[in-house]
Amino acid sequence: MKLNIPRGTFDLLPGQVEKWQYVENKIRDLCRSYHFSEIRTPIFERTELFQRGVGETTDIVEKEMYSFEDRSGRSLTLRPEGTASVVRSFVEKKMYVEPQPTKLYYMGPMFRYERPQSGRYRQFHQFGVEVFGTEEPDVDAEIIDLGYRLYTSLGLSGVKVELNSVGCPDCRPNHREAMVEYLATKKDQLCQDCQSRLNRNPMRILDCKKESCRQATEKAPRMIHYLCSKCAPHFEAVKEYLDELAVPYEVNTRMVRGLDYYTQTAFEFVLEGKGGGSLGGGGRYNGLVQEVGGPDMAGIGFAVGLERIFLALEEQEITLPVQTGVDCFLVTLGSEAKKYGVTLLKKLRESGLSAERDYLDRKLKGQMKAADRIQAAYVAILGDQELQEKKIGVKSLITGEQETIQLDHLVEYIRNGRKS
Ligand SMILES: [Zn+2]
Ligand SMILES: [Zn+2]
């Protein structure tokens, strides 16, 4: 019986995985420079956490969660996103008693039961940051800057930030009322999803991509015109700080993001041009910490998809400077040389170089071919005769240059060669 990979998942094989490692390292370096610390939470949580922390009326909770009962009958869910878990940990570990803010980042697989379509996976990967304990607008701008810099540092062009404010529990009801009133005569023009949103979360109708819904909401009231005396200056200040940081952005009054818990700032990283679209985004969630059982404490964060980054890199034909091959391939000829070879290989590896050899008892030609295939920078050739004379042959597979050197100079020789 042939066993295939589950639908909506993929293997990361050698050749691709190095690119992932490169991007992951970039993310870690970037987070370190902005003084964010990594947090690792479990892959699964109690289902209730996502119902409360993501929101009952979101697509995620309504139709996309991987929920299951464990052997004791508890309902658990494979995490569909990162924020709820991080907030849960922030509350549970009482991180809020420490001096604030708390700046955390995470990276790893998430799970959603998506309809299979291109670029959508059931196990996908996200990188995200969360900042707790400050409502200051410069923090909003700073994390937007961090996300933006990830894309530019990878060489991507055409990335822009879309920005909006979704208000707060004080000012949102006014907008909601205006929306409901405006859409009262237009209900028939809305798609099924939006008709059900009408009573629960009418603001999200603005974000619907269906043409009929967009037309119906063309002149619908926008939240930024209903912002209260707290939210309006906050929005203005975020824009000013983004200008200060030279992050290009555009106000998009339709963009509200899919999650129920956002307050004030909402933003999205968008790729323009061919194969464009949303790369990810986030926003402020000042009520979420309390919702998950903590104190009334502000929070803000974003999450971006790693698969989207690789698609964008491919579309823009960007080659990442990924290291492949090995520094040295050791060819041995004769039984004495083969035996000593294992020690020599170990010496090369202990010195921090990457080194490989033949494991199939190939002849000289076969070993040289293997060295070529794995893109070795150097081949070192040791025969029984050379071993007796404490010498070894070295050949650069890059320049073709060849010479015989002292056996105990090999490590230094390869190391110097690697630098040049
Ligand atoms: Zn407000
Ligand atoms: Zn719609």
Side-chain angles (χ1 to χ4, degrees):
M1 187 176 63
K2 202 169 133 197
L3 292 173
N4 295 327
I5 194 168
R7 196 169 193 183
T9 64
F10 58 90
D11 297 316
L12 271 179
L13 304 179
Q16 285 172 297
V17 82
E18 292 80 3
K19 294 177 194 165
W20 279 69
Q21 289 167 342
Y22 179 87
V23 170
E24 287 161 5
N25 289 337
K26 218 17 161 214
I27 287 170
R28 292 186 193 289
D29 289 346
L30 199 59
C31 286
R32 199 176 306 122
S33 69
Y34 281 71
H35 191 229
F36 278 76
S37 305
E38 188 182 2
I39 181 167
R40 300 188 188 188
T41 60
I43 295 289
F44 59 86
E45 298 268 1
R46 287 167 57 183
T47 300
E48 200 192 346
L49 173 67
F50 301 115
Q51 285 167 342
R52 290 211 349 233
V54 178
E56 294 275 13
T57 70
T58 56
D59 285 354
I60 296 177
V61 171
E62 278 185 345
K63 43 193 174 191
E64 293 170 357
M65 290 211 299
Y66 268 100
S67 301
F68 59 96
E69 269 190 14
D70 71 5
R71 286 167 191 272
S72 312
R74 291 181 206 94
S75 181
L76 300 172
T77 296
L78 298 181
R79 62 182 188 190
E81 55 101 63
T83 302
S85 305
V86 175
V87 174
R88 194 260 314 133
S89 180
F90 179 77
V91 171
E92 191 174 351
K93 295 291 180 288
K94 295 192 170 59
M95 287 183 236
Y96 52 79
V97 302
E98 302 293 327
Q100 298 302 318
T102 303
K103 297 165 76 180
L104 302 168
Y105 81 94
Y106 60 85
M107 185 160 44
M110 308 289 162
F111 306 84
R112 284 183 209 172
Y113 196 84
E114 300 255 23
R115 275 158 294 177
Q117 48 180 311
S118 79
R120 295 263 189 176
Y121 298 98
R122 290 179 175 174
Q123 175 174 336
F124 58 101
H125 300 79
Q126 282 191 336
F127 149 60
V129 307
E130 316 289 353
V131 181
F132 299 101
T134 171
E135 288 183 62
E136 292 301 309
D138 42 337
V139 172
D140 305 38
E142 194 176 294
I143 69 162
I144 293 171
D145 175 54
L146 190 163
Y148 182 72
R149 273 200 47 208
L150 171 63
Y151 298 114
T152 52
S153 70
L154 291 170
L156 288 169
S157 53
V159 177
K160 72 167 191 211
V161 176
E162 291 192 350
L163 186 71
N164 195 15
S165 177
V166 295
C168 71
D170 287 338
C171 50
R172 202 143 47 192
N174 299 329
H175 173 257
R176 183 195 173 98
E177 212 173 287
M179 272 301 271
V180 172
E181 194 182 322
Y182 175 86
L183 290 167
T185 57
K186 295 184 158 58
K187 195 174 174 190
D188 298 344
Q189 298 169 43
L190 301 176
C191 73
Q192 285 247 296
D193 281 346
C194 286
Q195 290 197 8
S196 72
R197 282 170 187 148
L198 200 50
N199 294 314
R200 294 183 307 179
N201 192 353
M203 198 194 291
R204 280 208 57 204
I205 300 172
L206 289 170
D207 213 355
C208 184
K209 304 289 182 276
K210 298 216 173 65
E211 196 45 44
S212 60
C213 296
R214 291 192 89 79
Q215 274 174 17
T217 52
E218 189 68 57
K219 295 202 165 69
R222 300 299 204 255
M223 187 62 225
I224 56 164
H225 301 124
Y226 291 80
L227 297 177
C228 66
S229 58
K230 231 177 116 184
C231 294
H234 186 274
F235 188 50
E236 288 310 308
V238 172
K239 290 191 282 183
E240 278 165 27
Y241 278 113
L242 285 175
D243 288 334
E244 199 64 40
L245 291 163
V247 176
Y249 66 89
E250 233 167 58
V251 173
N252 176 357
T253 58
R254 278 187 180 277
M255 191 261 302
V256 301
R257 304 284 304 159
L259 307 179
D260 285 355
Y261 52 63
Y262 284 126
T263 54
Q264 297 182 332
T265 311
F267 60 94
E268 207 160 276
F269 300 104
V270 177
L271 187 67
E272 292 177 303
K274 184 176 154 254
S278 176
L279 296 165
R284 200 160 255 297
Y285 47 80
N286 290 346
L288 185 61
V289 175
Q290 201 166 31
E291 180 65 36
V292 176
D296 182 11
M297 196 173 252
I300 183 168
F302 71 70
V304 300
L306 298 191
E307 284 80 5
R308 282 298 283 125
I309 291 178
F310 290 100
L311 266 178
L313 288 168
E314 216 170 283
E315 275 151 16
Q316 299 192 7
E317 291 172 15
I318 293 165
T319 312
L320 299 175
V322 167
Q323 281 209 345
T324 52
V326 295
D327 297 317
C328 183
F329 189 96
L330 179 64
V331 169
T332 57
L333 302 163
S335 55
E336 288 303 308
K338 185 181 172 185
K339 196 168 169 206
Y340 180 74
V342 296
T343 309
L344 195 54
L345 206 67
K346 189 172 171 178
K347 271 187 194 159
L348 285 161
R349 289 169 174 168
E350 279 175 346
S351 77
L353 292 165
S354 57
E356 184 57 298
R357 70 177 173 97
D358 169 53
Y359 296 91
L360 295 171
D361 235 355
R362 290 187 176 94
K363 302 259 183 324
L364 173 64
K365 209 173 151 193
Q367 293 191 47
M368 293 300 285
K369 253 192 193 161
D372 219 35
R373 195 175 51 240
I374 65 164
Q375 294 176 286
Y378 286 94
V379 182
I381 305 160
L382 186 70
D384 288 350
Q385 182 70 35
E386 282 97 342
L387 181 58
Q388 264 184 13
E389 293 168 8
K390 294 194 171 21
K391 295 209 155 109
I392 189 163
V394 284
K395 182 182 179 183
S396 163
L397 291 189
I398 297 156
T399 64
E401 235 172 284
Q402 201 168 347
E403 59 186 308
T404 300
I405 61 166
Q406 295 293 319
L407 186 52
D408 52 8
H409 288 172
L410 180 66
V411 168
E412 214 187 317
Y413 186 93
I414 305 290
R415 199 190 279 139
N416 289 339
R418 192 173 66 162
K419 275 182 220 140
S420 64

